[in-house]
Amino acid sequence: KQEVTQIPAALSVPEGENLVLNCSFTDSAIYNLQWFRQDPGKGLTSLLLIQSSQREQTSGRLNASLDKSSGRSTLYIAASQPGDSATYLCAVYILETSGSRLTFGEGTQLTVNP
Amino acid sequence: DAGVIQSPRHEVTEMGQEVTLRCKLISGHNSLFWYRQTMMRGLELLIYFNNNVPIDDSGMPEDRFSAKMPNASFSTLKIQPSEPRDSAVYFCASSLDSPSTDTQYFGPGTRLTVL
């Protein structure tokens, strides 16, 4: 059964700092990996989707990498801003015998202090 | 497009009552997903439809839960009878077609409290 782990569970940084969020998964047979952002009391917003054949995706100040062989992904946020404060979740899409599904990590709660 | 629309946003009910959650997909999307989020278990997939057909319902907790897509743009998730352990935030998401290649877009969620 696929397990997704995110480290750290919480992170607090001063504004302007570059930071890295980590995601690891146990089964490398994934179709894609997505990073989402969730604000308190809100739904999830997709940030980046990396297909299994890709190694990284970039959007603005965000860069996500994928290393399937080691079962790891990182989300790099450059020049962090208070508006980046949210919970960041990674999820891997896999095909299991019981069906296909997006399996989520527990998230990293990020606080960017002004 | 207004994105994925869910209603109600909040629902408080008593144990044993029937609860119906509603979801409208993004226009043109063919895949729909129902998720449940709790502090204890995180975010879990309940059921996934593609072109109105249930593809994976292995996450549906038990027979008390049922989901339907009466048409290509609308879905309901019904809990009957509801129990306190069903209290959670229920999210609906849609994607253009295959979730193996397409981004999932989430609705704002329905916060369900069963007393």
Side-chain angles (χ1 to χ4, degrees):
Chain A
K1 182 177 181 290
Q2 177 75 268
E3 292 185 4
V4 181
T5 305
Q6 291 187 245
I7 294 173
L11 182 63
S12 182
V13 301
E15 182 177 3
E17 191 163 298
N18 302 325
L19 59 99
V20 174
L21 306 181
N22 297 292
C23 173
S24 61
F25 46 95
T26 53
D27 187 346
S28 62
I30 65 170
Y31 282 88
N32 64 50
L33 182 144
Q34 296 185 55
W35 282 93
F36 293 87
R37 167 186 174 139
Q38 186 173 27
D39 292 282
K42 301 286 181 64
L44 279 70
T45 301
S46 180
L47 299 173
L48 292 164
L49 182 151
I50 310 176
Q51 300 292 352
S52 61
S53 58
Q54 299 173 324
R55 292 193 63 84
E56 67 176 343
Q57 284 284 338
T58 298
S59 176
R61 294 182 295 108
L62 305 179
N63 176 276
S65 68
L66 174 64
D67 184 343
K68 270 184 58 176
S69 60
S70 66
R72 294 183 181 183
S73 176
T74 60
L75 178 66
Y76 175 82
I77 303 177
S80 58
Q81 303 171 357
D84 295 331
S85 298
T87 296
Y88 290 81
L89 298 118
C90 75
V92 295
Y93 186 78
I94 56 171
L95 193 60
E96 292 180 329
T97 52
S98 58
S100 57
R101 63 192 55 234
L102 203 59
T103 301
F104 286 83
E106 295 187 349
T108 293
Q109 187 172 350
L110 173 65
T111 303
V112 181
N113 301 300
Chain B
D1 199 308
V4 175
I5 299 172
Q6 292 188 245
S7 65
R9 294 294 310 277
H10 302 272
E11 177 81 26
V12 180
T13 190
E14 293 186 345
M15 182 174 64
Q17 297 297 307
E18 177 180 297
V19 175
T20 299
L21 312 181
R22 297 174 174 79
C23 174
K24 184 176 185 298
L25 285 70
I26 293 174
S27 178
H29 282 196
N30 294 323
S31 291
L32 177 133
F33 311 82
W34 281 102
Y35 291 91
R36 177 172 66 177
Q37 186 175 39
T38 62
M39 288 293 292
M40 290 294 293
R41 299 174 66 90
L43 204 56
E44 303 173 286
L45 176 69
L46 299 177
I47 188 168
Y48 152 45
F49 291 86
N50 183 257
N51 290 317
N52 301 6
V53 176
I55 303 300
D56 179 0
D57 63 357
S58 58
M60 294 287 264
E62 48 200 89
D63 292 345
R64 297 185 297 108
F65 285 67
S66 62
K68 294 182 180 179
M69 282 199 73
N71 59 57
S73 61
F74 184 73
S75 177
T76 59
L77 177 67
K78 186 175 293 186
I79 308 173
Q80 167 64 18
S82 58
E83 297 182 2
R85 61 191 169 120
D86 301 330
S87 297
V89 180
Y90 290 80
F91 290 104
C92 173
S94 71
S95 67
L96 188 61
D97 193 9
S98 170
S100 65
T101 56
D102 300 324
T103 297
Q104 293 188 25
Y105 295 88
F106 280 68
T110 295
R111 182 173 295 276
L112 173 66
T113 303
V114 183
L115 303 174

